[in-house]
Every structure is written in structure tokens, then in C-alpha cells.
Amino acid sequence: MISYSEAFALIEKEFAELNIGTEITPLELAVNRTIAEDIAADVNLPSFDNSAVDGVAIKFSEKIASWKIVGEISAGNFKEYSLRENEAVRIMTGARIPESCDAVIPLEDYDVEGTISRLKSGVKIKRRMNIRPKASDISKGEIAVSKNTFLNARNIAALAACGRTEVKVLKKLKCAVLATGDELVPVNAKPEGDKIRASNHFGLTAAVESVFQTGINYGFVNDNYVEVKEKIEETLNSEADLIITTGGVSVGKYDFVKEIFANLGVEEIFWRAYIKPGKPAYFGKLQKSGKKKLVFGLAGNPVSCMVNFDVYIKPNIVRKYGMPSLNRIEAELLNDVRKHDGKRHFVRGTVSKNNEKYFVSSQISQSSGNLARFSQSNCLIELDEDARNPRKGDNVKCILI
Ligand code: AMP
Ligand code: MG
């Protein structure tokens, strides 16, 4: 059986070769999208010398400490003044500076008597003080936001300043999510006897949306070969770039999802990797009319499939879309952890911070079925293949989730 790293490398390779395509989006909808073009400033920013403060603009001279106020310029209401050395204009932050001025004294540094402004004692002034020069932010033609940036609010503001009302972005991945299992009943039904509510497709669709992609919820089907096949075929014929199924990929009698994938032309890349939870995960691809679809058949255990998403799929989406990388930290274990096999373990934990140091507890149930407890955890403790029974006080790697 392949290791987690080998499995991850195989997925990574397919993601790298996945052709996503681009689309145009209005600026209002561009936050948390990945820009697919370099954006250069179409004007100098700022496009004129302007005042950094509210105060008086003067023609600088070392010998002069009081000025007659002869006018006023507010932001957006420029008027040219030809000042003499003992004259000043009141000026507001962001207002354009007249040619004749070469310093701005802030309000708090002078007193005003009638029309005379007088420097307070002890205040030093310098030529060019409080002037933001033209193009000091960025010059016309310079790149303000570069291609492949995952756009945050600051980038959106910069794009607006560069005159963009729409931008080219990477298309979102469309991810079809389908759950399978005979035990499943809809969320709005009360599970009777040996039935359980189908939760996986909701969790995974949300996981897809939380990395800013499009989740398409195909609901669930019971373990009937024909029905499962029809539904999987529907996802494979859809626009989806990724197909994620849960359940039916293990070695049970009714685990025929793999067989269905094969019958529908999906090429298996791996089945089962040496990790916990989620050992039975399947990964394959389908090449269809020049377009590639990645196919993940994840275990039905609710925790396994969510953890598999976090450790197999999410890091690849993050990389592909240039998102800020996963939050990884080191933390001190607050309890002993049992691990006596050579699998890569992703243990559910709760991280807390105390005096700039992280601590992590794994004293929540580790059963792959315990979803409610899992929803209260906030990290995965990553234990490498060669780690054995780490003890309270040991430092461990954690992925914040
Ligand atoms: P399987 O991988 O099909 O053998 O399922 C493993 C376990 O996960 C079983 O205990 C199932 O009851 C549970 N399970 C399977 N599918 C789902 C689902 N969609 N939602 C919640 N639990 C599920
Ligand atoms: Mg099953």
C-alpha cells in the first residue's frame, strides 16, 4: 500500500495538470478569487503632489516663521496660487499642492491670529515636509496587482484605484459531491432502527465552499448498483472538475463504487493509502472530450472523508489558487497519544494558546464515526509514519482547520 506522501504526490501531479480556465468577473465579486492577469496602474498614483495633513501650504524659507493666509484648497477643489515667501494657503489632506508650495505645516504646529499663522516655538520645518509626491505610490504602467494573486480586500481597493471595474479570474472548480450507503436517510427524516442521517454530502459541499470553490450537492443514493451507477454517471457527465463520493470504497460486499468508476471509464490512480483516518480512499481521473475530471472516492465514515478532504484536496486547491497557505503550527501535547502503527495519523485535537505558546489536546473521541466531537475540534495533529506513542509534553505538528 502506498504512503500518504506518495498518495499526495499523485494527487498533486493531477492538480498541477488541471486546466482551470478563466472568466471575467465584476470587481464587486472578485474578492477571494484568483486574478488571471497582471494589472498595471493606468495613471500615476497619486497623479498629483498632495498634502498628507490638514494645515497650511507654504513656500519654504528657513528665515520665515509666520505667514499670511491668502486662500484655501480642499481635496478635489484645486485652485492655483502663486505664493510669496510670507504667504500660505490653508490646505486639507489629499488636496493638490500649488506649484509654488514646497512644504505643508500641520495644524497642530502653528497658531492662528486673524489671517496670520505663526509657527509654535520649538517646531522645526523642512522643505517637502508632508507632501506626498506624484507617483510615490506607483507609476503609470507599473504592476499594481500581479497575476495569480488570491484577491483580498486590499487588492480590490488597489484594482479600483487602477480603474478596473472587472477583472479576469480563474474559474472556480466545480465539485460534485455524492454520498452512498444503504443506511442513509435524509436529514429531515428521523432515523429509525439502523438508519442514520446522511451528513457527508453537506459537510463536503461546505468544505468545498469554504475554500471558495463551487460545491454541487448531488445528495445520496442507497447501495443499489444500478442507482449508484446512474448517479455517478450523472456527475461524470456534468460540468464538474472534481467528483467526490463517500462510502462504498472499502472491501465490503456492497462496496462497488470502485467497480462502477472502472466501468464508467475512470482510470484508477490509487486505492488505499497508509493513513488514518481514511485508509480506503480512492483516487482516479477521467479524460472526457479533452477535459480532465479528478475523481475521489472517499470512505463513508464522516470524520474520514472530512479529514481526507483536508489532507488530500484542500492543500491542492490552496496551492492552485494561490491562497494563503494552510495554517501549520507546532504545539505541546497535553496528553499521551496512542500510535503503534506505521501509518500517517491525523489526530483530531483542540489547540489553545497560552503565553505565546500553543498547546494541543487530543482528548476527544478519535472514532471516525464521531462527528459531533469532531466538529468541536480545531486542528489535526499530524503524526509521521515513524512516530510511536507520543507523550504528554512532546512537540507535535498541527494543521489548524
Ligand atoms: P462505508 O465507507 O460505506 O463502509 O461507511 C463507513 C461508515 O460511515 C458507516 O458507519 C456508515 O454508516 C457511515 N456513513 C457512510 N456514509 C455516510 C454519510 N453520507 N453520512 C454519514 N455517515 C455515513
Ligand atoms: Mg457503505
Side-chain angles (χ1 to χ4, degrees), residues 332-337 388-396:
E332 185 181 313
L333 267 179
L334 290 170
N335 53 272
D336 295 350
V337 178
R388 292 290 181 277
N389 297 324
R391 308 297 298 263
K392 178 176 175 182
D394 287 355
N395 274 337
V396 287

Side-chain angles (χ1 to χ4, degrees), residues 180-183 223 246-249 254-255 300:
T180 68
D182 246 9
E183 65 279 48
D223 288 333
T246 72
V249 282
Y254 298 99
D255 290 343

Side-chain angles (χ1 to χ4, degrees), residues 134-209:
K134 170 177 170 175
S136 56
D137 183 6
I138 197 167
S139 302
K140 180 177 172 178
E142 250 186 274
I143 303 297
V145 178
S146 42
K147 190 172 168 173
N148 289 330
T149 301
F150 182 68
L151 298 173
N152 59 27
R154 301 183 297 283
N155 302 136
I156 299 294
L159 290 168
C162 291
R164 301 303 297 236
T165 55
E166 44 184 40
V167 285
K168 189 158 86 175
V169 292
L170 290 186
K171 281 189 176 162
K172 289 186 183 191
L173 287 177
K174 295 193 188 73
C175 309
V177 179
L178 170 70
T180 68
D182 246 9
E183 65 279 48
L184 307 178
V185 295
V187 172
N188 57 4
K190 190 101 181 223
E192 308 278 359
D194 62 349
K195 304 295 178 195
I196 59 166
R197 287 200 176 104
S199 55
N200 287 348
H201 51 297
F202 288 99
L204 286 168
T205 306
V208 168
E209 295 282 338

Side-chain angles (χ1 to χ4, degrees), residues 46-314:
S47 45
F48 47 87
D49 288 2
N50 66 88
S51 178
V53 293
D54 292 319
V56 284
I58 58 163
K59 191 175 169 76
F60 180 84
S61 162
E62 266 159 13
K63 290 167 275 175
I64 293 177
S66 73
W67 302 266
K68 182 175 163 47
I69 299 171
V70 297
E72 178 184 295
I73 309 172
S74 60
N77 297 299
F78 180 71
K79 210 167 115 197
E80 189 62 90
Y81 287 90
S82 221
L83 295 185
R84 286 192 285 246
E85 283 195 343
N86 58 351
E87 290 176 340
V89 280
R90 255 186 236 286
I91 197 150
M92 319 301 151
T93 306
R96 182 174 157 192
I97 306 279
E99 286 288 325
S100 55
C101 298
D102 50 13
V104 180
I105 307 169
L107 272 181
E108 58 273 21
D109 286 349
Y110 60 88
D111 296 311
V112 180
E113 282 163 37
T115 59
I116 302 297
S117 56
R118 200 180 308 281
L119 208 59
K120 287 183 180 168
S121 67
V123 173
K124 294 261 174 301
I125 58 171
K126 280 199 307 214
R127 193 182 297 278
R128 303 299 296 172
M129 68 188 279
N130 297 315
I131 293 177
R132 301 189 285 216
K134 170 177 170 175
S136 56
D137 183 6
I138 197 167
S139 302
K140 180 177 172 178
E142 250 186 274
I143 303 297
V145 178
S146 42
K147 190 172 168 173
N148 289 330
T149 301
F150 182 68
L151 298 173
N152 59 27
R154 301 183 297 283
N155 302 136
I156 299 294
L159 290 168
C162 291
R164 301 303 297 236
T165 55
E166 44 184 40
V167 285
K168 189 158 86 175
V169 292
L170 290 186
K171 281 189 176 162
K172 289 186 183 191
L173 287 177
K174 295 193 188 73
C175 309
V177 179
L178 170 70
T180 68
D182 246 9
E183 65 279 48
L184 307 178
V185 295
V187 172
N188 57 4
K190 190 101 181 223
E192 308 278 359
D194 62 349
K195 304 295 178 195
I196 59 166
R197 287 200 176 104
S199 55
N200 287 348
H201 51 297
F202 288 99
L204 286 168
T205 306
V208 168
E209 295 282 338
S210 65
V211 282
F212 308 105
Q213 310 304 314
T214 304
I216 309 158
N217 192 340
Y218 276 79
F220 72 89
V221 267
N222 292 131
D223 288 333
N224 169 302
Y225 189 94
V226 176
E227 281 175 35
V228 175
K229 188 173 174 202
E230 270 174 20
K231 206 73 184 169
I232 290 182
E233 194 164 19
E234 195 184 325
T235 65
L236 293 172
N237 285 333
S238 75
E239 290 262 276
D241 307 285
L242 251 63
I243 286 104
I244 307 174
T245 66
T246 72
V249 282
S250 208
V251 289
K253 185 172 170 206
Y254 298 99
D255 290 343
F256 35 56
V257 166
K258 268 175 25 31
E259 191 186 322
I260 292 172
F261 284 148
N263 287 344
L264 293 171
V266 180
E267 178 192 330
E268 178 181 316
I269 298 174
F270 72 77
W271 175 47
R272 302 204 290 188
Y274 212 44
I275 83 167
K276 187 178 174 183
K279 191 175 78 172
Y282 164 101
F283 175 56
K285 64 176 169 183
L286 178 73
Q287 205 73 44
K288 209 167 184 214
S289 33
K291 209 183 155 210
K292 187 170 76 172
K293 291 176 188 299
L294 304 186
V295 180
F296 292 88
L298 305 182
N301 268 315
V303 174
S304 306
C305 64
M306 295 298 281
V307 171
N308 277 177
F309 182 90
D310 279 340
V311 303
Y312 282 141
I313 303 175
K314 183 174 170 178

